[in-house]
Amino acid sequence: MPARPSASRRTVLRGAAVAPVAGLGPAACAAPGGAAADATPTAPVDLGGESGVAKGGAKLYRDRNVVVSRDASGALKAFSTICTHGGCPINKLQGTTLICPCHGSRFDAATGEVVQTPATEPLNELPARAAKGRIIVGPGA
Ligand code: FES
């Protein structure tokens, strides 16, 4: 008489069947045709002249998936614009509010905080500095 599969074997198989589904979230949100759609800088990048971001304003660098903001004193902040809800690249900036095209989450470009769900986690902050009149953003900046 053949032995029945043990409970532990069934548990392992059930876990294996579920695992691939978990990876579909961000992929399902990927921008069409965007080869580097989910990439943020992994090294310092030069985003151009400091004058590109006004005091109290923000600028979206869509090709870099970065937003740079400047407070009233002129201090720079930068955030990844990969949405923390499902990984979509955010492609719209209204004033200093970032709007995700996938499910409508909104973020404050000055702080990275969520101002409208479904996202609940703030954007990832990136190092940013000004050097010789240029804005440099990314790890090691
Ligand atoms: Fe869902 Fe941005 S991926 S709101």
Side-chain angles (χ1 to χ4, degrees):
M1 184 179 206
R4 306 178 94 188
S6 70
S8 64
R9 178 179 157 89
R10 269 180 269 149
T11 302
V12 168
L13 291 175
R14 191 177 303 130
V18 169
V21 176
L24 290 177
C29 287
D38 59 352
T40 53
T42 55
V45 293
D46 182 337
L47 295 180
E50 269 193 274
S51 59
V53 184
K55 284 183 181 177
K59 183 173 180 179
L60 175 60
Y61 297 85
R62 289 173 59 169
D63 57 335
R64 299 286 191 175
N65 293 315
V66 168
V67 68
V68 176
S69 61
R70 194 187 272 283
D71 68 15
S73 74
L76 293 169
K77 282 209 168 205
F79 298 93
S80 161
T81 53
I82 300 302
C83 183
T84 58
H85 175 242
C88 287
I90 296 171
N91 61 3
K92 191 170 183 181
L93 178 67
Q94 272 182 353
T96 56
T97 301
L98 292 158
I99 304 167
C100 181
C102 290
H103 312 103
S105 289
R106 293 178 182 228
F107 299 86
D108 184 337
T111 64
E113 294 296 323
V114 175
V115 293
Q116 182 173 303
T117 58
T120 57
E121 296 295 317
L123 296 173
N124 292 320
E125 187 165 0
L126 298 168
R129 66 182 168 90
K132 298 178 182 169
R134 313 287 292 177
I135 296 172
I136 311 297
V137 168

